[in-house]
Amino acid sequence: MTEREAMSEAEEFLKVARAARDAATVLAPMPRAPKDAALRAVADALEAATDEIVAANAVDVDRARESGTSEAMIDRLRLDAGRIAKIADAVREVADLPDPVGEVVRGSTLPNGLELRQVRVPLGVIGIIYEGRPNVTVDAAALCLKSGNGVLLRGSSSAYSSNSALVRVMQEALAATGVPSDAVQLVPGQTRESVKHLMRARGLVDVLIPRGGASLINSVVEESTVPVIETGVGNCHVYVDADADIDTALKILVNAKAQRPSVCNAAETLLVHAAIADEFVPRALTALKDAGVTVHGDERVRAYGADVVAATEEDFTSEYLSLDIAAAVVDSLDDAVAHIRRYGSAHTDAIVTRSQQAARRFVATVDSAAVAVNASTRFTDGGEFGFGAEIGISTQKLHARGPMGLPELTSTKWIYTGEGHVRA
Amino acid sequence: MTEREAMSEAEEFLKVARAARDAATVLAPMPRAPKDAALRAVADALEAATDEIVAANAVDVDRARESGTSEAMIDRLRLDAGRIAKIADAVREVADLPDPVGEVVRGSTLPNGLELRQVRVPLGVIGIIYEGRPNVTVDAAALCLKSGNGVLLRGSSSAYSSNSALVRVMQEALAATGVPSDAVQLVPGQTRESVKHLMRARGLVDVLIPRGGASLINSVVEESTVPVIETGVGNCHVYVDADADIDTALKILVNAKAQRPSVCNAAETLLVHAAIADEFVPRALTALKDAGVTVHGDERVRAYGADVVAATEEDFTSEYLSLDIAAAVVDSLDDAVAHIRRYGSAHTDAIVTRSQQAARRFVATVDSAAVAVNASTRFTDGGEFGFGAEIGISTQKLHARGPMGLPELTSTKWIYTGEGHVRA
């Protein structure tokens, strides 16, 4: 990129960011009805533009094939009429959800007669950086619009043609509604520089939500002056306590690991209390093997099976997202918690136990976004929790923790009304 | 500072930060009773150590006097038996407040029978960077302990001797209780480097709360990799609408500006609708003059009084914290809102009006932490809002906005309990 091109990309970015900000100012005080009408118009427009979107997507698919991308990855990238219809339906589902904006969170009349209330308001402009499939472009835009926010979308450069088409269709649809079409913007450019513009746009962008692998998220956290909500890295643990029911533990372990290994709430490490290891570990190794899972075990786990690969320190910090699991035997519940604190990503950690005391202690001392008792880690999900939709799963403690639905895309404003009240 | 000293300060910092983190892990699951008992022990110990604290404070006072600090600033720094008793009482008041930790924020039984609840938990370790009086050292520590958090305190270097004594007394008092004494720590060192250690302590510190002037807060926001909650810069506006009651407007204006000009919720800018300017501005200038306030006006305001100083662009962005106010005439409510958006700090902005429609539009379109209708900006305060105590006033949108009480010092954790639940 020449200096001149770099400059023009920076200017382009500022242009779309300011447009999103101005649009967000108009969008913020809007009530629910015009926002829902706009979302339904977007859904209809996406379906009507199926041919245009599929053609744009073919450009990305061809480029991916030329560069030797695996068929599995190409399949994640591909859009067809059926997938576009599903994307549109997801937008209609967002329209059906309650509007978080305007909800009175707290309120009272103060002793001096001032009427005080705390009301949900949009955050402003939300930047989303994602590596996922093109459907994220539409899902994220719909959730941001519904919650009254402008959105700057920065998807994978491998899906740039598809994302451009999707955003263009959404903007055209919005232009015929009360919602300003500039509220949805694709960050221009496909280079790393365009991500940097977003990270330095303090004052124009209110929050950045990176969705993707650990390296993307770490670089955003390190470099961004815009506040960040970290999402999605899940090194989830299943701890099988001394008091576990063996069959329950096996069922939960296999489900948490193998039911859908590519997602962040899948289990990546098994911890087994020493008192139950003789009984449990051999059966666990068989069950995992039957499910196609490779076990990377510490020395104590390796004593139970010849197939177990020797685990390194790295295995215990890994988010495999594959049919692999790290495994260790621990001497106590407290050792299991210490292991989770040391190696975990504070996403979701589960205990399997019949003991009230053990469950209580595990829940109190594991410092993660979600703690599961006698349940698979796979339930940490906005859909499962009944949110209707999810923008990601926060693994940080500020603002939002765990699955983020529409309320997590809002801030609040205090309003107080008097009749000439002054402080004495 | 030599390289060796710098290294040892960095090592010292890591030592206290790790100690605070370990202590916070023990403190987090503690119920209310032992925390309250520890706070009462701290209060008693502070009073019992009055002589020791006053002696340590004298070191700071003497040093300040030698360096030519103003008597007003020295008075802010000074501790005596009366002030120490007040500090101790404030700790007892924190002990009397409800414990936010453990509160069930949401909960339900999911369709599949999983019992789901979202529960307040401590944030972990909170770093506080402050310039204020030594009482902040104790106030902040008490609020953090009550909410189950460890705290790293980095006060003004001008109060280092006082703060060291206060922290020492608190730690000694805690040592005799169930709360680990390492939960309260003073950041070692008095140089800018010690602030940097705090800002780079991601993983050890969960959130940084800078309390002070705009330049401190901006530098923390710019440099910190630890998530930051911005507080306290208040360029607050009073907008006198075309439909305002003149006497109400005068009363609110003078109170907002002059009742306590040194605080963040004091008004710094007056905006007057053109339709009421002839009637209102001359009376406002007289009332402000009587209150000892210097007015920095735009051209239209200057037409009403010879005493009005010409306002520069900088006046409209200034947080004076003194008996000065910027003033401008605007042509509409929307122009007033645009001015507030452009120059304000999104702390507190007030409208004075008899019109429901004007109030409604101002509240909907001013994007600030607090919006006051027919009331002084001075009410934006944790005490006034009934929180009982306040750690600061957030002017950002993420996590907490406006006055922050104990619940704002917590995060949440999702807990779900099943009986072998797995996903299909």
Side-chain angles (χ1 to χ4, degrees), chain A residues 202 224-225, chain B residues 199 216-224 228 230:
Chain A
R202 192 175 182 90
S224 181
T225 56
Chain B
M199 293 192 295
L216 167 71
I217 289 165
N218 287 337
S219 81
V220 173
V221 163
E222 184 68 29
E223 294 179 45
S224 181
V228 175
E230 290 182 66

Side-chain angles (χ1 to χ4, degrees), chain A residues 175-396:
Chain A
T177 74
V179 170
S181 59
D182 280 344
V184 178
Q185 301 280 357
L186 194 68
V187 172
Q190 305 177 52
T191 65
R192 294 279 304 173
E193 278 306 303
S194 65
V195 184
K196 285 198 178 152
H197 299 318
L198 201 48
M199 294 193 293
R200 308 300 294 184
R202 192 175 182 90
L204 287 172
V205 180
D206 294 286
V207 58
L208 271 189
I209 305 178
R211 294 176 47 159
S215 75
L216 166 71
I217 289 164
N218 287 337
S219 81
V220 173
V221 162
E222 184 70 27
E223 294 179 44
S224 181
T225 56
V226 175
V228 175
I229 299 180
E230 290 181 64
T231 68
V233 175
N235 178 7
C236 302
H237 295 70
V238 173
Y239 165 62
V240 179
D241 186 46
D243 250 336
D245 177 77
I246 300 274
D247 290 330
T248 302
L250 289 171
K251 188 168 73 159
I252 288 173
L253 170 65
V254 172
N255 184 264
K257 176 65 259 181
Q259 191 253 351
R260 197 170 166 206
S262 64
V263 291
C264 63
N265 58 19
E268 306 290 10
T269 300
L270 164 67
L271 300 172
V272 182
H273 193 291
I276 204 174
D278 279 354
E279 202 182 346
F280 179 74
V281 177
R283 291 188 59 189
L285 293 180
T286 304
L288 288 167
K289 190 175 183 182
D290 291 347
V293 177
T294 303
V295 178
H296 306 252
D298 71 352
E299 208 165 74
R300 295 165 84 175
V301 170
R302 288 205 304 283
Y304 295 103
D307 291 344
V308 179
V309 180
T312 62
E313 191 81 355
E314 211 187 313
D315 282 296
F316 290 108
T317 59
S318 280
E319 187 188 23
Y320 293 114
L321 301 174
S322 61
L323 287 171
D324 293 84
I325 194 166
V329 173
V330 293
D331 288 319
S332 66
L333 184 147
D334 287 347
D335 282 359
V337 172
H339 181 108
I340 291 167
R341 282 187 173 265
R342 179 166 175 196
Y343 295 104
S345 66
H347 186 300
T348 302
D349 301 293
I351 181 173
V352 185
T353 188
R354 285 171 301 201
S355 156
Q356 272 292 335
Q357 199 195 346
R360 193 177 148 103
R361 183 160 181 85
F362 189 83
V363 164
T365 57
V366 167
D367 187 24
S368 298
V371 182
V373 178
N374 295 329
S376 171
T377 55
R378 292 274 295 110
F379 288 105
T380 303
D381 175 274
E384 293 293 323
F385 281 11
F387 295 178
E390 170 187 294
I391 194 93
I393 296 179
S394 164
T395 51
Q396 71 177 32

Side-chain angles (χ1 to χ4, degrees), chain A residues 202 230 255 363 413 423, chain B residues 202 230 255 363 413 423:
Chain A
R202 192 175 182 90
E230 290 181 64
N255 184 264
V363 164
K413 184 195 277 187
R423 268 184 84 171
Chain B
R202 193 176 181 88
E230 290 182 66
N255 183 265
V363 164
K413 183 194 277 186
R423 267 184 85 173

